[in-house]
Amino acid sequence: MTHPPAAPEYPEPPRYPQQPPPAQPVRPPAQPTPAQPSYPQSPAYPTHPQHPQAAPYAAPAPPVSAPPVSAPPVSAPAPPYVPPLPPMPPLPPGAGPGSGSGGGDPHDPRHPHHISTDHGRIHLAAQQRRTDVTAVGSLLLHLPNFLGSLFVVGLLSLFFGGLGFLVILLWLASGALIFHRPTESALARHVLRLRYPTPQERAKLEPVWREVTARAGVDGRTYELWVEDSDHLNAVAAAGHIVGVTRFAMDRLPNGELAAVMAHELGHHVGGHAWAGLLGYWYALPGRLAWRLLRGVTTVMYKVSRAFSCFGIAFFGMAVMGLAYVTISSLYGLPLLILGVPYALAAVGRRAELRADQHAAALGFAPMLAAVLEKMHQEEQRIQAALPLRNGGVPVARSPLAKLLTSHPDYHTRLHHLQPYLAPPGH
């Protein structure tokens, strides 16, 4: 059996000497790299919540085995720097609550009796007006005067023959004119000596009036604002829609004290004092005119009777007594009631003033109203000091009957009734 030929042997390649590895260049030591400045991150603003929407059904994804990567905590941004407000300078001397009319600037917002007139929604009360007990009392006390005037008008209607009854009806219906706007304007202009405010004055009065009516829940557009050119502190509420203030009260009082004055006059309207007093005065006017005429004729007759010495005076006295007896017996003592009506009406008027004070105090103007009353009291004292003196150097004081005819309470009485609103809570 034959074997395959063996593979030929080849010579090995020559070996060359190995070269050493090239030397590595020497590098300088590494310098530390400066740290990058860190800047505050902008605060993350909240985003609006996304409302969930119905997504199509998908198979749950298989769990991921990679561990979650936690985000580095974000520090809360620092609040912005707000520079402090400069301190308010102190009030000028004399600008306190009890200061006089000339101390400080009454329109300074730092005045303790300055109020903010920026209000929101106004809630109007369901009952805008009412007739309280003082208004009813005033109407009842004017009843004798009304009957006396009706008697006078009835006598005058006899001169018109068959139209006399129509004259009486027209006089009775004339009382509705006190609620007639043109008649009220004529009354304010010619009787009360008021005028319409200028645009500058209206810019002062209307914001204060809106604040007062907003607190009371009253529609302020129902009433008309008027101005009296007077240098005295006063205000008036007349007829059904008139609210008047003096120029002094408008220019020299802080707006809080002006609001207290206007809230007092609004109390007269809300309680029915203004229209009840004017209605009684209107229906008593014919009787008043007849009384003045009778008193003038009586004075003339007395002067004429003095020319006839004692006989004439006796005759005049007998005539007056006979006339008084006839009127008392025929009118059931009505003239005696008429003599006492002014004192009773003054007492009811004083009560109406206290109720108007309570209305202003209940709206939050008690401290301002007390300051206004103090200023009015100081003005009365100055007027009293200017009165003539007696021989002994004592000022002439009013008689007790004159005090009973005063329609406004004295300063101490009004301040006493304000004490429950001035006392701090819990006392």
Side-chain angles (χ1 to χ4, degrees):
M1 157 169 209
T2 60
H3 295 278
E9 294 180 1
Y10 295 96
E12 294 182 358
R15 296 183 179 179
Y16 297 95
Q18 295 182 355
Q19 298 292 334
Q24 297 292 334
V26 180
R27 296 182 179 179
Q31 298 292 334
T33 58
Q36 296 293 332
S38 60
Y39 298 97
Q41 299 180 359
S42 59
Y45 295 96
T47 58
H48 294 284
Q50 300 293 334
H51 296 281
Q53 299 179 356
Y57 175 78
V64 181
S65 59
V69 180
S70 59
V74 180
S75 58
Y81 173 74
V82 179
L85 295 176
M88 296 292 291
L91 281 173
S99 61
S101 59
D105 184 9
H107 305 293
D108 192 347
R110 294 169 293 145
H111 196 283
H113 287 167
H114 182 86
I115 61 173
S116 175
T117 56
D118 299 331
H119 60 273
R121 173 179 293 182
I122 299 178
H123 172 72
L124 298 181
Q127 185 180 7
Q128 294 285 297
R129 294 193 185 191
R130 64 182 184 275
T131 304
D132 60 14
V133 64
T134 55
V136 175
S138 177
L139 292 175
L140 292 178
L141 289 174
H142 276 103
L143 185 60
N145 293 331
F146 168 75
L147 295 178
S149 298
L150 182 61
F151 177 75
V152 172
V153 174
L155 291 178
L156 294 176
S157 65
L158 298 178
F159 294 96
F160 294 90
L163 299 178
F165 186 75
L166 183 60
V167 172
I168 297 177
L169 290 180
L170 290 177
W171 176 72
L172 292 176
S174 63
L177 292 176
I178 66 172
F179 299 102
H180 186 232
R181 290 300 182 98
T183 305
E184 286 187 8
S185 299
L187 172 68
R189 185 177 295 107
H190 301 292
V191 179
L192 301 177
R193 302 299 179 184
L194 303 177
R195 61 172 175 81
Y196 285 116
T198 63
Q200 293 79 11
E201 293 170 341
R202 188 173 295 276
K204 293 181 181 179
L205 294 176
E206 286 187 348
V208 180
W209 180 244
R210 283 197 301 265
E211 178 65 22
V212 171
T213 54
R215 294 190 184 189
V218 174
D219 188 2
R221 298 169 298 180
T222 306
Y223 303 92
E224 293 183 359
L225 300 179
W226 294 74
V227 177
E228 179 185 0
D229 289 320
S230 174
D231 294 331
H232 298 281
L233 177 56
N234 197 11
V236 62
H241 311 92
I242 296 176
V243 176
V245 296
T246 59
R247 188 180 62 248
F248 178 91
M250 179 180 56
D251 294 337
R252 304 295 296 275
L253 292 182
N255 67 343
E257 297 180 10
L258 178 61
V261 172
M262 301 177 81
H264 174 90
E265 303 306 328
L266 179 62
H268 284 308
H269 279 295
V270 171
H273 311 155
W275 69 264
L278 184 58
L279 189 66
Y281 175 81
W282 174 256
Y283 282 122
L285 191 57
R288 291 173 182 268
L289 295 177
W291 174 255
R292 289 182 181 181
L293 180 62
L294 181 62
R295 187 173 59 181
V297 172
T298 304
T299 302
V300 172
M301 290 179 60
Y302 177 74
K303 291 180 179 180
V304 172
S305 64
R306 291 182 60 183
F308 297 95
S309 67
C310 297
F311 177 77
I313 295 177
F315 178 78
F316 174 76
M318 293 177 61
V320 171
M321 292 179 61
L323 181 62
Y325 176 77
V326 170
T327 54
I328 292 174
S329 60
S330 60
L331 300 177
Y332 304 99
L334 185 61
L336 297 179
L337 293 177
I338 294 178
L339 294 177
V341 163
Y343 299 96
L345 285 176
V348 172
R350 292 192 293 270
R351 187 61 185 174
E353 293 297 326
L354 294 178
R355 283 185 171 270
D357 287 348
Q358 289 180 339
H359 180 269
L363 298 181
F365 300 113
M368 297 79 165
L369 184 59
V372 172
L373 294 178
E374 181 181 356
K375 294 176 182 178
M376 296 179 66
H377 180 60
Q378 293 174 358
E379 185 177 359
E380 289 178 359
Q381 287 180 334
R382 288 193 295 267
I383 296 176
Q384 186 70 22
L387 293 177
L389 303 178
R390 294 178 180 176
N391 295 332
V394 180
V396 178
R398 291 184 301 176
S399 63
L401 290 180
K403 292 181 179 180
L404 291 177
L405 289 174
T406 304
S407 60
H408 286 67
D410 59 280
Y411 164 71
H412 301 284
T413 301
R414 299 179 73 171
L415 194 62
H416 172 73
H417 284 81
L418 285 177
Q419 287 303 318
Y421 300 93
L422 296 173
H427 290 72

